[in-house]
Amino acid sequence: MSLTNRARILYDSPLSNPRKAIPIVLFLAVLVIISAIVLIRNFFGGMSPAGFQIFLLSLGGTLLISIIPLSILWFLDRREPESKWLYLIAILWGALIATALAYPINTWIIENIGNLVKTTPILKTIYGSDAKTIIGAPIAGPIVEETTKGLGILLLFWLFRSEFDGVLDGFIYGALVGIGFNLLEAPFYVTKGFMTTGDVPLYFQMADRFALFGLAGHALYSGLFGMGLGLARQTTRQWLRYAAPVTGWLLGFSGHFFNNAIGLIFFLAVYLVTGKSIAAHEPAKPAVSAVVEPFLNQWVQHSVIRAIAFFPFFLIVGVMLWQSGLWELQVIRDGLANEKEPVITPEEYEGVKGDRLFATRRIPGLDRRTSYAIVRAQNELAIRKWRVNHDGKDVQTDPLVASWREELARLRDRVKNAVI
């Protein structure tokens, strides 16, 4: 009997066992409630009506611009797409839980660094009145935020084993959590800027946080950790299963640290070379409000800077995604090589052999929707067969393998009935 989509997602998951599912769901529900309370008390509680309007305006902007990175991930994920529910869960973890867990811890760390600055005059001399933030951001942000986001990616890795197959899946889930985090953090900073200065740094924050189509910040950092987990799931080497996640997290941490530490390093370098602090010179008040500065100009500038500064990280991601794409194509070819009708026809398998990295395979003679459903089921079947073999189990007795074969038979029958 063919499994439902829900049963496929939950296959081999602790959530499929009611004894385990109930405490897990209750824990997550409590975590959501606590997160909402933390955000309301610590951020929304002291917000003015005007500040709340600015928050909603900037939230609408981030929701709109986030469509771009989501579309890129959707394209990368087209051969064996993850469930839309898992997309939503990953985004919500980043937007709600990760931000709520990080906010009070970040605040506590920065306030303690502020106390250190008060007792260490040289720090205030070098970094000026904003010393606690300049010093605290590289310490608090990378450690706390990459941990709170990483917990969500780990949770997806543990709870949805059948949906977390390799490097590409790991990057997708990690980037989704990062996009979710950005979704709420960007409006926070826009609103904070308005409440502090009276100006609205909307375009600056949007251009900075969505540089390179939204994949140069939190999506990159947490995507690196997700890739590490995906590589651990994909590899047969025991040592790499443990080293890959740690390395992925450290890479994400390093990228985040480098981004937050640019100001700290620059201020310190100027002071060491010249003996003078640039913090002593108060910045001039901008002639134009931040909300009306050309967005496209700022976006291009931030994107160019990020492309240069983060080139090693983008190179790692690019090479690993390229290799993962080639691996996925090979797994699909191998998994479908010994299958017969109704799973796949000889003509369709020729299309499988001719498939390319940036192409999207179609079945001639079928409408777009039916072709997509059959191709997806074939790809899911092939990757599931690889997973079963990888785990040392019998493909012929695996319920998910049987379910995808039955799904393909059902789709073939639907095509025949439509012709009749």
Side-chain angles (χ1 to χ4, degrees):
M1 181 178 179
S2 182
L3 299 176
T4 63
N5 286 332
R6 178 175 175 273
R8 291 186 187 120
I9 294 170
L10 295 179
Y11 183 81
D12 203 24
S13 165
L15 294 176
S16 62
N17 183 340
R19 287 187 176 183
K20 296 179 180 178
I22 292 174
I24 292 172
V25 171
L26 287 175
F27 171 76
L28 292 175
V30 171
L31 196 57
V32 168
I33 293 170
I34 292 173
S35 299
I37 292 172
V38 167
L39 291 176
I40 291 170
R41 288 187 60 184
N42 289 277
F43 189 77
F44 294 108
M47 190 180 294
S48 66
F52 191 67
Q53 289 178 353
I54 295 298
F55 175 81
L56 291 179
L57 171 69
S58 51
L59 179 61
T62 56
L63 285 168
L64 187 63
I65 300 178
S66 293
I67 294 173
I68 298 173
L70 285 174
S71 299
I72 294 172
L73 295 180
W74 193 260
F75 175 77
L76 292 174
D77 196 30
R78 67 194 183 283
R79 282 197 176 83
E80 188 245 346
E82 312 311 316
S83 166
K84 294 176 183 177
W85 286 108
L86 295 186
Y87 267 64
L88 183 61
I89 289 170
I91 291 170
L92 287 177
W93 180 279
L96 180 61
I97 297 174
T99 51
L101 292 176
Y103 187 85
I105 302 173
N106 281 346
T107 301
W108 179 81
I109 292 174
I110 291 174
E111 288 303 319
N112 277 276
I113 289 173
N115 295 332
L116 175 65
V117 170
K118 291 176 183 177
T119 59
T120 314
I122 186 64
L123 294 178
K124 194 167 184 179
T125 300
I126 297 172
Y127 298 109
S129 59
D130 203 26
K132 72 174 184 180
T133 302
I134 295 173
I135 300 171
I139 298 172
I143 296 174
V144 177
E145 293 170 8
E146 294 316 307
T147 299
T148 60
K149 289 185 296 175
L151 288 172
I153 306 167
L154 271 174
L155 199 65
L156 290 167
F157 181 79
W158 174 52
L159 292 179
F160 303 102
R161 291 179 57 85
S162 65
E163 297 292 310
F164 208 122
D165 293 308
V167 169
L168 178 58
D169 286 356
F171 179 76
I172 297 294
Y173 288 127
L176 287 170
V177 172
I179 289 170
F181 195 93
N182 210 29
L183 198 64
L184 208 59
E185 189 185 47
F188 279 178
Y189 275 91
V190 173
T191 308
K192 185 178 179 180
F194 169 73
M195 294 171 66
T196 304
T197 66
D199 199 5
V200 183
L202 178 64
Y203 289 173
F204 172 81
Q205 289 292 339
M206 296 297 107
D208 180 59
R209 294 176 182 279
F210 288 92
L212 291 175
F213 309 104
L215 297 174
H218 284 291
L220 172 66
Y221 312 145
S222 51
L224 284 162
F225 177 51
M227 291 177 81
L229 287 173
L231 182 58
R233 180 60 56 84
Q234 187 177 321
T235 187
T236 57
R237 299 173 183 175
Q238 191 69 21
W239 68 269
L240 193 54
R241 289 182 180 178
Y242 297 99
V246 175
T247 303
W249 188 89
L250 288 174
L251 283 170
F253 167 84
S254 299
H256 198 160
F257 175 83
F258 178 69
N259 180 72
N260 287 18
I262 291 175
L264 183 146
I265 295 169
F266 179 69
F267 275 56
L268 180 60
V270 170
Y271 182 80
L272 292 176
V273 171
T274 67
K276 298 179 181 179
S277 172
I278 59 175
H281 305 284
E282 291 295 329
K285 184 177 178 60
V288 182
S289 172
V291 77
V292 296
E293 291 178 10
F295 170 75
L296 185 59
N297 289 355
Q298 294 190 67
W299 182 83
V300 170
Q301 292 170 14
H302 285 282
S303 294
V304 170
I305 292 170
R306 293 291 178 88
I308 297 171
F310 286 89
F311 177 75
F313 299 99
F314 290 128
L315 182 63
I316 291 169
V317 170
V319 169
M320 289 188 69
L321 288 182
W322 181 275
Q323 291 298 319
S324 180
L326 295 176
W327 170 84
E328 192 174 59
L329 287 174
Q330 190 60 51
V331 165
I332 291 170
R333 292 189 193 109
D334 293 344
L336 297 176
N338 60 353
E339 296 288 341
K340 307 296 181 184
E341 294 188 55
V343 170
I344 191 168
T345 67
E347 295 76 17
E348 289 170 4
Y349 188 68
E350 290 302 312
V352 171
K353 292 193 293 184
D355 204 3
R356 294 294 179 266
L357 203 59
F358 293 103
T360 303
R361 181 165 62 96
R362 292 279 304 276
I363 298 178
L366 298 180
D367 64 87
R368 189 179 186 88
R369 184 175 181 180
T370 303
S371 172
Y372 172 79
I374 291 176
V375 168
R376 180 195 171 187
Q378 289 170 343
N379 294 345
E380 294 276 8
L381 170 62
I383 292 172
R384 180 60 193 177
K385 287 174 68 177
W386 174 86
R387 167 58 53 203
V388 174
N389 284 323
H390 180 74
D391 293 341
K393 299 178 182 178
D394 185 1
V395 168
Q396 301 307 320
T397 61
D398 183 70
L400 275 184
V401 169
S403 176
W404 284 118
R405 284 173 174 161
E406 290 173 18
E407 175 72 9
L408 283 160
R410 185 186 66 79
L411 289 169
R412 300 290 186 187
D413 288 341
R414 192 172 74 181
V415 171
K416 290 179 182 177
N417 292 335
V419 172
I420 295 173

